[in-house]
Amino acid sequence: MKSTKLALLIGTALVASATLAFAQEKGGVINVATVGEPPTLDPMASTADLVGIVSQHIFETLYTFDKDWKPTPLLAAALPEISADGKTYTIKLRSGVKFHDGTDLDSKDVVASLERWTKVASRGKQTATTISGIEAIDPLTVKISLTTPYAPLVSLLAFNNSAAIVLPSEKQAEPMTDFVGTGPYQLKERKADQYIQLTRYDAYKSPEGEANGYGGVRHQYADEIRFVPVPDPNTRVEAAVSGQYDYVDSLPVESFERVKGSSASEPVMLQPFGWPVFVLNSGNGMTKNLDLRKAIRASLSMEDMMAAAFGTTDFYALDAALYPSQFTWRTDAGTEGAYNIADAEKAGELLKAAGYKGEPLRILTSRQYEFHYKMAQVAAEYLKLAGFTVDLQVVDWATLTQRRADPTLWDIYITHSPFLPEPALIGMMSTKAPGNWDTPARAKAVDAFNAESDSAKRVALWADVQKVIFEEVPFIKIGDFNALSAKSKSLDGVSPAPWPYFWNASIKK
């Protein structure tokens, strides 16, 4: 991907922290208000952003992303050596890295962890189909052998979502029972619905080099980081305005002016951040029927949903394509006549073709992300106009992430995603992700895209993938949106990022 274009992505806000090289104070507690209680602290077991936000401070991956969204070493000593045929990746590890239990990280831990990842994580399962072997060559060298070239591999190993974290080889239980990582902070205490308390890990060995996005040096200025669930968005806004927390995540965008006028806090805006998405249960139940999925899409007014969710076009844009114009992945393939349709008559014809008999269409949403709920309310009315019986189920986010794992419990769930540097990172692309999109057309397009290493050819192949997505409707993009958070004016060293991180952050006393 071209770095000149990458510089314009959400990475424009992921500023290299090298500009924050002034002396920062040690000590204190960074209090972070989150949208709720994470369903787990095992980032392999969940694709929820909330899990990644917390767990990235405890666990680390072989690679991470720099400010330009390029993979950069984290636990690895360098980017992998890749064989000429693209089927062998040799990864050298940094020496002297210790787990929170005091043991040394070595290649056996990496092998065991990657094997767990291929069994537990949706993106690991997705990758497993191309892996023929993972082995330790020596104490600090791991070799991954593939059956076919797989271009997204390093990006998948770098992602903190459904993450390929490295655990001690003897602590690979599923579900996770020992939360032992190599990160700059370690888990001290978790009180459900109250807080997650992390404390500085004094034996932490940081990567070298200037801070660069999620990469480079990781300082531990704060003694503790405390993540506090604040599910109600209005409560989060008031907490931001009053300065009750050092960082408040995921605020309704209409609160921008209030936060901007606060004497205690300041807004943190990511523009463009990502896209709200309706994930359809294309592998199970009534939404397994393609005509019914097309009827859902034909019913919806993306314009009205985005206006309800974000108020003004200062904070959103209507766009069918899965990537905006700043990305090299941008293509309009498949989008014509398949976006912002809001045609009840057309939807009704598709419902008739689907043999729909009034069964309740179960929509899972949550008020913790208020824009999800607002879109769901608007969608429900348009779906009713088209002839659907709608069962709108409003639950907390942790419950939603649990229910979506059971394909018998839902037909649509509402979520969102940042724009990701590698399309293979999009969760719904995996046949193992909730929704279970698994068709011959998907396999043909996605496998060809993943097997191609030439960047220019991959751009063209991504257009083929997007075309299949619009033909088969496994999920529906609603639009592009900006994301708003807030930080205390006493909090230094925090760069705006889709998954906020607090190594390199400090509290001014």
Side-chain angles (χ1 to χ4, degrees):
M1 198 183 295
K2 298 176 182 177
S3 59
T4 53
K5 287 219 173 183
L6 270 170
L8 296 172
L9 311 188
I10 57 174
T12 55
L14 192 59
V15 181
S17 298
T19 58
L20 304 167
F22 52 81
Q24 289 178 258
E25 298 182 57
K26 293 197 74 169
V29 178
I30 297 175
N31 289 289
V32 181
T34 65
V35 300
E37 180 76 9
T40 177
L41 288 182
D42 180 356
M44 285 194 193
S46 177
T47 58
D49 288 341
L50 180 56
V51 175
I53 288 169
V54 177
S55 66
Q56 66 186 340
H57 298 82
I58 306 169
F59 305 105
E60 293 180 315
T61 47
L62 292 169
Y63 301 99
T64 187
F65 292 105
D66 68 14
K67 65 182 178 63
D68 293 323
W69 293 101
K70 294 178 181 177
T72 190
L74 183 51
L75 291 176
L79 291 173
E81 298 174 12
I82 305 174
S83 62
D85 64 2
K87 295 182 181 181
T88 303
Y89 286 62
T90 303
I91 299 171
K92 298 285 186 180
L93 306 177
R94 289 195 290 123
S95 62
V97 176
K98 289 185 177 292
F99 289 105
H100 298 155
D101 61 3
T103 59
D104 292 319
L105 176 143
D106 65 20
S107 56
K108 289 185 293 185
D109 302 307
V110 175
V111 170
S113 298
L114 292 181
E115 289 176 344
R116 182 181 189 268
W117 181 62
T118 62
K119 297 182 181 78
V120 172
S122 61
R123 291 186 176 87
K125 294 174 184 176
Q126 164 190 341
T127 309
T129 59
T130 66
I131 294 176
S132 59
I134 307 170
E135 56 186 309
I137 302 303
D138 61 42
L140 292 177
T141 308
V142 172
K143 184 173 76 172
I144 302 175
S145 301
L146 307 178
T147 57
T148 186
Y150 191 66
L153 180 59
V154 178
S155 291
L156 285 160
L157 294 176
F159 202 26
N160 74 350
N161 179 297
S162 189
I165 58 169
V166 179
L167 308 166
S169 58
E170 67 276 11
K171 295 181 177 177
Q172 301 283 329
E174 169 50 37
M176 184 181 286
T177 54
D178 294 304
F179 298 86
V180 176
T182 59
Y185 289 86
Q186 58 189 334
L187 179 64
K188 181 176 181 181
E189 185 176 22
R190 179 181 186 181
K191 286 197 172 182
D193 299 315
Q194 294 185 49
Y195 60 81
I196 296 169
Q197 182 186 18
L198 310 184
T199 57
R200 181 192 295 114
Y201 178 46
D202 290 326
Y204 178 67
K205 184 169 182 180
S206 169
E208 296 180 353
E210 293 184 342
N212 184 351
Y214 293 90
V217 67
R218 295 184 168 188
H219 294 294
Q220 307 153 279
Y221 295 118
D223 294 333
E224 296 182 12
I225 306 171
R226 189 172 291 219
F227 295 92
V228 181
V230 184
D232 182 71
N234 294 321
T235 304
R236 290 200 301 279
V237 172
E238 296 305 322
V241 172
S242 67
Q244 181 179 353
Y245 297 94
D246 300 296
Y247 192 94
V248 182
D249 194 30
S250 191
L251 297 175
V253 291
E254 60 266 26
S255 67
F256 179 84
E257 291 298 330
R258 285 201 66 204
V259 176
K260 187 178 178 181
S262 167
S263 61
S265 299
E266 57 192 33
V268 179
M269 181 73 80
L270 283 162
Q271 180 178 359
F273 170 75
W275 44 299
V277 58
F278 283 24
V279 180
L280 278 57
N281 193 350
S282 57
N284 298 273
M286 73 165 78
T287 43
K288 190 172 183 178
N289 185 300
L290 177 57
D291 283 326
L292 193 138
R293 297 200 302 275
K294 288 183 176 179
I296 292 169
R297 183 174 65 190
S299 304
L300 299 176
S301 169
M302 279 60 173
E303 185 171 7
D304 284 356
M305 284 191 286
M306 294 297 283
F310 302 106
T312 167
T313 51
D314 290 341
F315 300 117
Y316 76 87
L318 295 177
D319 187 12
L322 299 184
Y323 279 94
S325 59
Q326 297 97 324
F327 284 70
T328 54
W329 302 114
R330 169 72 187 201
T331 175
D332 291 320
T335 62
E336 186 175 355
Y339 180 77
N340 197 32
I341 304 168
D343 187 335
E345 185 177 346
K346 179 178 180 179
E349 292 171 358
L350 288 163
L351 278 181
K352 185 176 180 180
Y356 178 68
K357 293 181 172 58
E359 304 94 325
L361 181 70
R362 300 163 298 172
I363 304 175
L364 282 177
T365 191
S366 170
R367 295 202 69 162
Q368 285 162 256
Y369 294 105
E370 185 71 4
F371 67 98
H372 291 188
Y373 175 67
K374 290 178 177 178
M375 289 189 300
Q377 289 182 302
V378 174
E381 296 308 311
Y382 275 96
L383 289 163
K384 289 173 187 175
L385 283 174
F388 281 98
T389 301
V390 177
D391 177 11
L392 185 60
Q393 300 179 10
V394 184
V395 297
D396 63 83
W397 186 246
T399 299
L400 186 150
T401 61
Q402 291 166 356
R403 287 192 187 177
R404 72 184 181 185
D406 184 342
T408 68
L409 296 179
W410 61 278
D411 302 303
I412 299 173
Y413 78 85
I414 300 174
T415 186
H416 66 272
S417 172
F419 293 114
L420 300 170
E422 162 58 57
L425 299 176
I426 297 171
M428 296 80 72
M429 297 279 285
S430 170
T431 58
K432 306 300 181 182
N436 303 108
W437 180 39
D438 189 3
T439 66
R442 187 219 72 92
K444 181 180 179 182
V446 172
D447 290 353
F449 173 71
N450 287 339
E452 180 56 63
S453 58
D454 182 275
S455 57
K457 292 178 181 177
R458 294 191 81 222
V459 169
L461 289 167
W462 170 245
D464 295 340
V465 175
Q466 182 174 287
K467 185 177 179 183
V468 173
I469 290 169
F470 276 90
E471 288 171 349
E472 299 199 338
V473 205
F475 53 87
I476 302 170
K477 178 189 174 183
I478 310 304
D480 301 344
F481 77 103
N482 305 338
L484 177 66
S485 297
K487 79 174 191 69
S488 165
K489 292 180 179 179
S490 65
L491 182 63
D492 283 334
V494 172
S495 298
W499 305 280
Y501 55 93
F502 303 98
W503 57 83
N504 297 337
S506 62
I507 301 291
K508 288 186 287 190
K509 297 184 175 68

